[in-house]
Amino acid sequence: MSILNMSLFIQDTAAVEGDMGMMWMLISGILVFFMQAGFFLVESGMTDSKNAVNIAMKNFLDIAVGSLAFWFVGYSLMYGSDMGGGWFHWGGFIFSQGAADLFFQTVFAATAATIVSGAIAGRTKYTTYAIFSIVLTAIIYPIAGGWEWNGGWLNNTDGIMPAEFIDFAGSSIVHSVGGWAALVAAWMVGPRIGKYLDGKPVEMHGHNQMYATLGVFILWLGWFGFNGGSQLAWGGDDATAASQVVLVTNLAAAAGALGGLLFTWIKNGKPNLGMTLNGALAGLVSITAGCGNMTEGGAVLAGLLGGILVVLSIGFIEKTLKIDDAVGAISVHGVAGAWGTLVIGLWGVDGDTGIGLFNGGGAAQLGAQAIGVLAYAVWALLLSFIFLFIIKKAFGGLRVTEEEEIAGLDISEHGTIAYPGKRQREME
């Protein structure tokens, strides 16, 4: 083959791989978009039927306002030019580096907002949630995302970082930011009526565990796009890497489900569906940061421990902190997100090289991961409190009245109900 033909062959191969990479990102983004349906089913299934329409409206709101807010300003704050030490980025309004990347990053932003929805279900004003969803997708999430995914300060080893921070697909950037925002929101909104009796939590059963189960299956499927698509390319080594990411994602989810199942089975004498579902989600969150830096065995262990951790965390938040999280979102996303970020510093790898403390990598990577976890926690907690406090003062509170909560948010906030036949039978 002549030099000219070889050059043309290389150019053609690069073009094909570029097109395949764009298609992979679009397909992955579509899978992540479909996760909104999974979030809706999980949240509605784990809560009272009288709030199902409200939950549907919140999930539609997230993808609608999230798409517009992130398109108009959020993407620029995340992927624009560095405006100061990697802490802040800006590229102008309606900034884009390509349609495929903009779409893929948009559905991630909507996911971060949806996490808050579950924690405050059943007692929050729709207006309150709508405004905060815009703030989260337009400001809080994208600024923090630029710290890592746009060469921000978390990757600057000339500064305070002992090593480059790693968060491949967003255990901290997406999930912990959403989870810590949910913690502040649930604390400020307060518990549902009847959740605590004499200071002790009362179990409030969801109305449809089959919805919740189907929702987790959808989220599990969508996560292959969430993590696998974060390779941002396809072809050659990228195709191999993306396939490995999907594999370890599945292994961690499976181990997380078993962790939640077995731990509650041993603890309570019976296998619990809700904790098994949350265990699977915790396993997925636990591998999201390290899915590009984890062996298969490491992924299983990370997911298994994440599934156990989420059970302990849900109990601690509910019983000790006395914060009412209707679906366990704080634990699944915030706590498991922090764990998934830290575990890279414990037994993460970079190819065949160990970068974690337990496989010869030293403490530098663990230190970097800890700094990132702390930074994202402080940012999300502080900004969420500030904006929710402003919203509370400006709109006369964050939650509906007692009468409206008892009647259900479907009727009080939207003037309709999800199950008219059921309500008619109750009235008869």
Side-chain angles (χ1 to χ4, degrees):
M1 182 180 294
S2 68
I3 295 176
L4 176 62
N5 288 338
M6 177 65 74
S7 177
L8 291 173
F9 175 77
I10 293 172
Q11 291 178 17
D12 289 343
T13 301
V16 170
E17 289 186 354
D19 289 343
M20 290 294 290
M22 188 178 300
M23 184 172 69
W24 172 240
M25 286 180 64
L26 287 173
I27 292 172
S28 297
I30 291 167
L31 284 172
V32 178
F33 180 98
F34 188 49
M35 289 173 71
Q36 290 293 329
F39 281 118
F40 159 68
L41 288 170
V42 170
E43 185 181 344
S44 61
M46 288 187 172
T47 54
D48 199 298
S49 62
K50 64 185 180 182
N51 301 311
V53 169
N54 176 258
I55 292 166
M57 289 292 292
K58 288 190 295 181
N59 278 270
F60 265 91
L61 177 86
D62 287 333
I63 196 65
V65 303
S67 293
L68 294 173
F70 195 75
W71 162 76
F72 187 70
V73 66
Y75 187 90
S76 179
L77 288 170
M78 197 165 182
Y79 289 104
S81 300
D82 185 1
M83 304 298 289
W87 288 88
F88 184 80
H89 299 84
W90 182 247
F93 294 105
I94 314 180
F95 173 75
S96 173
Q97 298 182 104
D101 189 64
L102 174 58
F103 171 70
F104 184 72
Q105 302 300 338
T106 294
V107 290
F108 272 58
T111 297
T114 301
I115 292 167
V116 180
S117 173
I120 58 175
R123 72 271 199 198
T124 308
K125 290 180 179 179
Y126 192 68
T127 304
T128 294
Y129 183 77
I131 296 170
F132 189 67
S133 181
I134 295 171
V135 169
L136 188 63
T137 51
I139 300 173
I140 298 175
Y141 164 74
I143 291 176
W147 296 349
E148 154 68 352
W149 288 341
N150 192 19
W153 68 273
L154 286 174
N155 289 320
N156 182 12
T157 55
D158 293 330
I160 65 172
M161 299 302 294
E164 289 190 8
F165 176 73
I166 296 173
D167 190 348
F168 188 88
S171 283
S172 279
I173 298 170
V174 181
H175 295 283
S176 275
V177 166
W180 301 139
L183 175 64
V184 174
W187 170 65
M188 293 184 68
V189 171
R192 289 166 289 176
I193 295 172
K195 177 60 183 177
Y196 291 94
L197 182 63
D198 297 328
K200 295 181 179 180
V202 176
E203 187 171 359
M204 303 181 79
H205 297 282
H207 84 279
N208 195 320
Q209 294 196 65
M210 299 304 100
Y211 279 7
T213 303
L214 178 58
V216 172
F217 272 121
I218 291 173
L219 290 172
W220 194 329
L221 171 67
W223 231 288
F224 299 142
F226 198 100
N227 287 359
S230 294
Q231 184 68 28
L232 304 179
W234 188 270
D237 292 341
D238 286 313
T240 301
S243 299
Q244 183 68 15
V245 165
V246 171
L247 173 61
V248 297
T249 297
N250 188 58
L251 291 173
L258 287 178
L261 186 158
L262 294 174
F263 187 74
T264 53
W265 198 345
I266 294 169
K267 181 173 177 285
N268 302 324
K270 292 183 180 180
N272 182 280
L273 176 60
M275 289 302 180
T276 302
L277 298 178
N278 274 331
L281 294 178
L284 288 161
V285 174
S286 297
I287 195 59
T288 296
C291 54
N293 299 89
M294 200 69 61
T295 64
E296 292 165 21
V300 169
L301 185 56
L304 179 68
L305 294 177
I308 295 171
L309 179 63
V310 78
V311 177
L312 295 171
S313 176
I314 288 173
F316 176 77
I317 290 171
E318 180 181 72
K319 297 174 183 177
T320 303
L321 299 184
K322 291 186 168 49
I323 294 176
D324 180 18
D325 178 355
V327 301
I330 301 165
S331 299
V332 167
H333 300 279
V335 176
W339 160 245
T341 308
L342 288 171
V343 74
I344 299 171
L346 296 177
W347 54 78
V349 297
D350 183 7
D352 295 328
T353 303
I355 58 174
L357 181 65
F358 296 151
N359 58 9
Q365 193 64 55
L366 180 59
Q369 299 307 110
I371 292 171
V373 166
L374 180 61
Y376 283 114
V378 171
W379 172 259
L381 291 168
L382 180 61
L383 269 290
S384 296
F385 176 78
I386 291 171
F387 281 110
L388 285 169
F389 183 80
I390 294 171
I391 294 169
K392 180 179 180 179
K393 294 298 182 182
F395 293 90
L398 300 176
R399 69 183 294 160
V400 298
T401 66
E402 182 177 344
E403 293 76 15
E404 290 171 333
E405 183 177 344
I406 292 171
L409 301 190
D410 290 2
I411 287 291
S412 63
E413 290 280 272
H414 308 285
T416 187
I417 54 178
Y419 306 101
K422 180 177 183 292
R423 178 57 64 90
Q424 182 64 37
R425 290 193 298 272
E426 290 174 350
M427 293 176 63
E428 293 173 351

mmCIF file of all heavy atoms in Angstrom, residues 352-380:
data_model
loop_
_atom_site.group_PDB
_atom_site.id
_atom_site.type_symbol
_atom_site.label_atom_id
_atom_site.label_comp_id
_atom_site.label_asym_id
_atom_site.label_seq_id
_atom_site.Cartn_x
_atom_site.Cartn_y
_atom_site.Cartn_z
ATOM 1 N N ASP A 352 -3.032 -1.295 33.930
ATOM 2 C CA ASP A 352 -2.452 -2.363 34.748
ATOM 3 C C ASP A 352 -1.757 -1.826 35.997
ATOM 4 O O ASP A 352 -1.167 -2.600 36.764
ATOM 5 C CB ASP A 352 -1.440 -3.162 33.915
ATOM 6 C CG ASP A 352 -2.093 -3.900 32.755
ATOM 7 O OD1 ASP A 352 -3.252 -4.308 32.915
ATOM 8 O OD2 ASP A 352 -1.448 -4.034 31.698
ATOM 9 N N THR A 353 -1.842 -0.526 36.205
ATOM 10 C CA THR A 353 -1.145 0.107 37.330
ATOM 11 C C THR A 353 -2.108 0.386 38.472
ATOM 12 O O THR A 353 -3.184 0.958 38.257
ATOM 13 C CB THR A 353 -0.487 1.432 36.893
ATOM 14 O OG1 THR A 353 0.396 1.180 35.805
ATOM 15 C CG2 THR A 353 0.277 2.060 38.049
ATOM 16 N N GLY A 354 -1.748 0.002 39.665
ATOM 17 C CA GLY A 354 -2.576 0.290 40.819
ATOM 18 C C GLY A 354 -2.434 1.743 41.248
ATOM 19 O O GLY A 354 -1.323 2.257 41.362
ATOM 20 N N ILE A 355 -3.553 2.431 41.453
ATOM 21 C CA ILE A 355 -3.504 3.811 41.930
ATOM 22 C C ILE A 355 -4.158 3.941 43.307
ATOM 23 O O ILE A 355 -4.091 4.987 43.931
ATOM 24 C CB ILE A 355 -4.187 4.789 40.946
ATOM 25 C CG1 ILE A 355 -5.655 4.389 40.712
ATOM 26 C CG2 ILE A 355 -3.413 4.857 39.641
ATOM 27 C CD1 ILE A 355 -6.413 5.388 39.859
ATOM 28 N N GLY A 356 -4.785 2.853 43.769
ATOM 29 C CA GLY A 356 -5.432 2.858 45.068
ATOM 30 C C GLY A 356 -4.482 2.469 46.183
ATOM 31 O O GLY A 356 -3.457 1.812 45.971
ATOM 32 N N LEU A 357 -4.846 2.855 47.383
ATOM 33 C CA LEU A 357 -4.010 2.615 48.556
ATOM 34 C C LEU A 357 -3.729 1.131 48.779
ATOM 35 O O LEU A 357 -2.627 0.748 49.155
ATOM 36 C CB LEU A 357 -4.710 3.210 49.784
ATOM 37 C CG LEU A 357 -4.002 3.086 51.134
ATOM 38 C CD1 LEU A 357 -2.696 3.875 51.127
ATOM 39 C CD2 LEU A 357 -4.912 3.564 52.261
ATOM 40 N N PHE A 358 -4.725 0.274 48.554
ATOM 41 C CA PHE A 358 -4.586 -1.145 48.859
ATOM 42 C C PHE A 358 -3.936 -1.965 47.750
ATOM 43 O O PHE A 358 -3.755 -3.170 47.910
ATOM 44 C CB PHE A 358 -5.951 -1.752 49.187
ATOM 45 C CG PHE A 358 -6.584 -1.167 50.425
ATOM 46 C CD1 PHE A 358 -7.964 -1.119 50.553
ATOM 47 C CD2 PHE A 358 -5.802 -0.670 51.470
ATOM 48 C CE1 PHE A 358 -8.562 -0.591 51.693
ATOM 49 C CE2 PHE A 358 -6.380 -0.144 52.604
ATOM 50 C CZ PHE A 358 -7.767 -0.093 52.728
ATOM 51 N N ASN A 359 -3.628 -1.336 46.626
ATOM 52 C CA ASN A 359 -2.929 -2.098 45.586
ATOM 53 C C ASN A 359 -1.650 -1.404 45.141
ATOM 54 O O ASN A 359 -1.266 -1.454 43.976
ATOM 55 C CB ASN A 359 -3.858 -2.384 44.382
ATOM 56 C CG ASN A 359 -4.426 -1.118 43.759
ATOM 57 O OD1 ASN A 359 -4.015 -0.017 44.100
ATOM 58 N ND2 ASN A 359 -5.368 -1.289 42.847
ATOM 59 N N GLY A 360 -1.008 -0.757 46.101
ATOM 60 C CA GLY A 360 0.324 -0.215 45.863
ATOM 61 C C GLY A 360 0.388 1.184 45.311
ATOM 62 O O GLY A 360 1.477 1.670 44.972
ATOM 63 N N GLY A 361 -0.740 1.862 45.238
ATOM 64 C CA GLY A 361 -0.745 3.195 44.646
ATOM 65 C C GLY A 361 -0.416 4.318 45.599
ATOM 66 O O GLY A 361 -0.271 5.467 45.185
ATOM 67 N N GLY A 362 -0.343 4.028 46.882
ATOM 68 C CA GLY A 362 -0.075 5.084 47.851
ATOM 69 C C GLY A 362 -1.340 5.842 48.216
ATOM 70 O O GLY A 362 -2.454 5.494 47.805
ATOM 71 N N ALA A 363 -1.157 6.914 48.975
ATOM 72 C CA ALA A 363 -2.295 7.658 49.515
ATOM 73 C C ALA A 363 -2.684 8.870 48.675
ATOM 74 O O ALA A 363 -3.695 9.513 48.962
ATOM 75 C CB ALA A 363 -1.985 8.107 50.943
ATOM 76 N N ALA A 364 -1.911 9.194 47.644
ATOM 77 C CA ALA A 364 -2.163 10.414 46.873
ATOM 78 C C ALA A 364 -3.539 10.413 46.225
ATOM 79 O O ALA A 364 -4.277 11.403 46.304
ATOM 80 C CB ALA A 364 -1.074 10.595 45.818
ATOM 81 N N GLN A 365 -3.907 9.301 45.583
ATOM 82 C CA GLN A 365 -5.197 9.254 44.898
ATOM 83 C C GLN A 365 -6.348 9.309 45.891
ATOM 84 O O GLN A 365 -7.361 9.982 45.643
ATOM 85 C CB GLN A 365 -5.305 7.982 44.045
ATOM 86 C CG GLN A 365 -6.474 8.016 43.067
ATOM 87 C CD GLN A 365 -6.315 9.124 42.038
ATOM 88 O OE1 GLN A 365 -5.302 9.201 41.338
ATOM 89 N NE2 GLN A 365 -7.308 9.991 41.936
ATOM 90 N N LEU A 366 -6.190 8.630 47.026
ATOM 91 C CA LEU A 366 -7.233 8.676 48.050
ATOM 92 C C LEU A 366 -7.401 10.099 48.570
ATOM 93 O O LEU A 366 -8.528 10.564 48.793
ATOM 94 C CB LEU A 366 -6.893 7.732 49.203
ATOM 95 C CG LEU A 366 -7.907 7.666 50.351
ATOM 96 C CD1 LEU A 366 -9.271 7.222 49.846
ATOM 97 C CD2 LEU A 366 -7.413 6.722 51.442
ATOM 98 N N GLY A 367 -6.288 10.805 48.732
ATOM 99 C CA GLY A 367 -6.366 12.195 49.161
ATOM 100 C C GLY A 367 -7.097 13.060 48.154
ATOM 101 O O GLY A 367 -7.932 13.911 48.523
ATOM 102 N N ALA A 368 -6.809 12.864 46.880
ATOM 103 C CA ALA A 368 -7.474 13.635 45.826
ATOM 104 C C ALA A 368 -8.970 13.347 45.808
ATOM 105 O O ALA A 368 -9.793 14.260 45.656
ATOM 106 C CB ALA A 368 -6.851 13.304 44.471
ATOM 107 N N GLN A 369 -9.315 12.067 45.950
ATOM 108 C CA GLN A 369 -10.741 11.696 45.943
ATOM 109 C C GLN A 369 -11.459 12.302 47.149
ATOM 110 O O GLN A 369 -12.599 12.774 47.040
ATOM 111 C CB GLN A 369 -10.886 10.178 45.952
ATOM 112 C CG GLN A 369 -10.282 9.458 44.751
ATOM 113 C CD GLN A 369 -10.753 9.983 43.424
ATOM 114 O OE1 GLN A 369 -10.023 10.600 42.666
ATOM 115 N NE2 GLN A 369 -12.034 9.761 43.139
ATOM 116 N N ALA A 370 -10.808 12.303 48.297
ATOM 117 C CA ALA A 370 -11.419 12.864 49.507
ATOM 118 C C ALA A 370 -11.652 14.364 49.365
ATOM 119 O O ALA A 370 -12.694 14.889 49.788
ATOM 120 C CB ALA A 370 -10.541 12.573 50.721
ATOM 121 N N ILE A 371 -10.694 15.062 48.774
ATOM 122 C CA ILE A 371 -10.862 16.500 48.555
ATOM 123 C C ILE A 371 -12.048 16.758 47.634
ATOM 124 O O ILE A 371 -12.867 17.656 47.878
ATOM 125 C CB ILE A 371 -9.570 17.107 47.963
ATOM 126 C CG1 ILE A 371 -8.446 17.082 49.004
ATOM 127 C CG2 ILE A 371 -9.815 18.534 47.474
ATOM 128 C CD1 ILE A 371 -7.086 17.467 48.443
ATOM 129 N N GLY A 372 -12.170 15.964 46.572
ATOM 130 C CA GLY A 372 -13.290 16.120 45.655
ATOM 131 C C GLY A 372 -14.628 15.847 46.315
ATOM 132 O O GLY A 372 -15.602 16.592 46.122
ATOM 133 N N VAL A 373 -14.702 14.778 47.098
ATOM 134 C CA VAL A 373 -15.935 14.444 47.809
ATOM 135 C C VAL A 373 -16.346 15.592 48.727
ATOM 136 O O VAL A 373 -17.520 16.001 48.759
ATOM 137 C CB VAL A 373 -15.757 13.144 48.632
ATOM 138 C CG1 VAL A 373 -16.886 12.971 49.642
ATOM 139 C CG2 VAL A 373 -15.699 11.938 47.695
ATOM 140 N N LEU A 374 -15.384 16.121 49.476
ATOM 141 C CA LEU A 374 -15.665 17.219 50.401
ATOM 142 C C LEU A 374 -16.094 18.479 49.648
ATOM 143 O O LEU A 374 -17.051 19.168 50.047
ATOM 144 C CB LEU A 374 -14.432 17.504 51.253
ATOM 145 C CG LEU A 374 -14.564 18.632 52.286
ATOM 146 C CD1 LEU A 374 -15.653 18.301 53.297
ATOM 147 C CD2 LEU A 374 -13.238 18.879 52.996
ATOM 148 N N ALA A 375 -15.412 18.783 48.550
ATOM 149 C CA ALA A 375 -15.723 19.984 47.777
ATOM 150 C C ALA A 375 -17.138 19.933 47.220
ATOM 151 O O ALA A 375 -17.890 20.925 47.306
ATOM 152 C CB ALA A 375 -14.710 20.146 46.635
ATOM 153 N N TYR A 376 -17.516 18.797 46.657
ATOM 154 C CA TYR A 376 -18.857 18.680 46.089
ATOM 155 C C TYR A 376 -19.933 18.704 47.181
ATOM 156 O O TYR A 376 -21.021 19.253 46.976
ATOM 157 C CB TYR A 376 -18.968 17.425 45.228
ATOM 158 C CG TYR A 376 -18.321 17.600 43.884
ATOM 159 C CD1 TYR A 376 -17.186 16.874 43.530
ATOM 160 C CD2 TYR A 376 -18.813 18.521 42.970
ATOM 161 C CE1 TYR A 376 -16.569 17.064 42.295
ATOM 162 C CE2 TYR A 376 -18.216 18.709 41.734
ATOM 163 C CZ TYR A 376 -17.098 17.983 41.403
ATOM 164 O OH TYR A 376 -16.489 18.182 40.180
ATOM 165 N N ALA A 377 -19.644 18.124 48.335
ATOM 166 C CA ALA A 377 -20.600 18.143 49.434
ATOM 167 C C ALA A 377 -20.826 19.567 49.936
ATOM 168 O O ALA A 377 -21.972 20.016 50.088
ATOM 169 C CB ALA A 377 -20.116 17.243 50.570
ATOM 170 N N VAL A 378 -19.743 20.285 50.180
ATOM 171 C CA VAL A 378 -19.854 21.655 50.687
ATOM 172 C C VAL A 378 -20.570 22.544 49.678
ATOM 173 O O VAL A 378 -21.460 23.335 50.035
ATOM 174 C CB VAL A 378 -18.461 22.226 51.016
ATOM 175 C CG1 VAL A 378 -18.550 23.717 51.330
ATOM 176 C CG2 VAL A 378 -17.840 21.480 52.198
ATOM 177 N N TRP A 379 -20.195 22.415 48.408
ATOM 178 C CA TRP A 379 -20.813 23.231 47.366
ATOM 179 C C TRP A 379 -22.318 22.985 47.288
ATOM 180 O O TRP A 379 -23.116 23.934 47.297
ATOM 181 C CB TRP A 379 -20.160 22.920 46.020
ATOM 182 C CG TRP A 379 -20.834 23.554 44.831
ATOM 183 C CD1 TRP A 379 -21.679 22.961 43.949
ATOM 184 C CD2 TRP A 379 -20.699 24.916 44.389
ATOM 185 N NE1 TRP A 379 -22.086 23.845 42.991
ATOM 186 C CE2 TRP A 379 -21.506 25.057 43.231
ATOM 187 C CE3 TRP A 379 -19.979 26.011 44.863
ATOM 188 C CZ2 TRP A 379 -21.604 26.268 42.544
ATOM 189 C CZ3 TRP A 379 -20.091 27.231 44.164
ATOM 190 C CH2 TRP A 379 -20.888 27.330 43.022
ATOM 191 N N ALA A 380 -22.727 21.726 47.207
ATOM 192 C CA ALA A 380 -24.143 21.406 47.053
ATOM 193 C C ALA A 380 -24.946 21.776 48.297
ATOM 194 O O ALA A 380 -26.064 22.310 48.199
ATOM 195 C CB ALA A 380 -24.314 19.917 46.742
#
